[in-house]
Amino acid sequence: MTSVVITGKRYLTKPEEAEKFGPFERIYLAEGDSWMDASAWNQGSLPEFLVRAYNQQSRTRLIVNISTSGHTLTKIVDMMNDELVWWLNQGTYDALLFSAGGNDFIDAARDAPPGQGLLFDMRGRPLPANGYDCVNPAALKSLVDYLDINFAAIYRAVRESTKNADTPIYLNAYDTPQARDAPAIRNIAGPWLYTAYTKNGIDPSLWDQLTAGIFKDIARTITAWADGRSGVHVVPTAGLLTKAVPGSTGESKDWVNEIHPNKSGWKKQAAAWLPVLG
């Protein structure tokens, strides 16, 4: 017996590849973005390193992973009836491991034209006293309100499901990266914050404060999703990873690229999840 992570698609076509390692003490369903999805080349994921940690403890866990790199919370909700709800109806899980919200913040900063998203266009403006002053409060409120509505839909889907009405939900709170020109794949995936900051004319001297502020907003938003909702738990992952060296363009410290942990980073993240999951 051992612990295994398998993609949902693979589990549907080749369930024996996982079940031969059972029976399992617990079965988890993982949904979300690239912090849960292991499909990105040479990047790793939380489920992968959770399984490694469980195997070191001789525990038997099965993680069915339906996550997709790049997914926003909005996209997960849009596809919910085709995927998450379907899986919720297939079996009873001991927990839903959920990672979403980070991409929504990053996209709001990066994808909109300068000054029309989460960030002010700072070109031609005097240098503010604090980097976080580059965040548009109205845009932030609109984004958070929208994400709150979307998470409420996720929570409602789980609680209204026949087989998982009582299944606990564990939320990923991410960690604070270093804004830098370190993409996953050049001209294809990333950089993310670096692109957002440069297109909005934000001086590099402000980047640390700005990034810290944005990721505090992300953590506050995700933490608030647990307020008043039974069985929703936020895993305390902020502040665990050593930041990358400023200006570095590849793997550095606990980060494989600008916004994703490397092997040492994932080990730290998994260690935070283990006691919360029990």
Side-chain angles (χ1 to χ4, degrees), residues 2-17:
T2 189
S3 291
V4 179
V5 58
I6 187 170
T7 66
K9 291 181 179 178
R10 191 67 178 175
Y11 192 52
L12 286 177
T13 59
K14 297 286 185 178
E16 66 277 5
E17 291 184 359

Side-chain angles (χ1 to χ4, degrees), residues 180-192 249-250 256-258 260:
R180 58 197 182 103
D181 186 13
I185 304 175
R186 181 67 63 180
N187 298 323
I188 296 177
W192 299 267
T249 58
V256 70
N257 53 50
E258 189 190 38
H260 299 103

Side-chain angles (χ1 to χ4, degrees), residues 3-41:
S3 291
V4 179
V5 58
I6 187 170
T7 66
K9 291 181 179 178
R10 191 67 178 175
Y11 192 52
L12 286 177
T13 59
K14 297 286 185 178
E16 66 277 5
E17 291 184 359
E19 292 174 353
K20 67 183 179 182
F21 295 106
F24 300 101
E25 297 168 317
R26 297 182 184 178
I27 300 175
Y28 301 143
L29 182 67
E31 169 66 299
D33 53 26
S34 55
W35 278 54
M36 287 290 177
D37 181 21
S39 66
W41 177 79

Side-chain angles (χ1 to χ4, degrees), residues 232-247:
V232 180
H233 311 277
V234 181
V235 183
T237 56
L240 296 179
L241 306 188
T242 302
K243 286 187 178 180
V245 175

Side-chain angles (χ1 to χ4, degrees), residues 3 29 36 39 53 60-61 79 139-140 143 158-159 164 167-168 183 208 226 278:
S3 291
L29 182 67
M36 287 290 177
S39 66
T60 55
R61 303 286 192 270
M79 298 176 61
L140 173 63
L143 173 62
V158 177
R159 292 293 169 258
N164 291 281
T167 297
D208 278 354

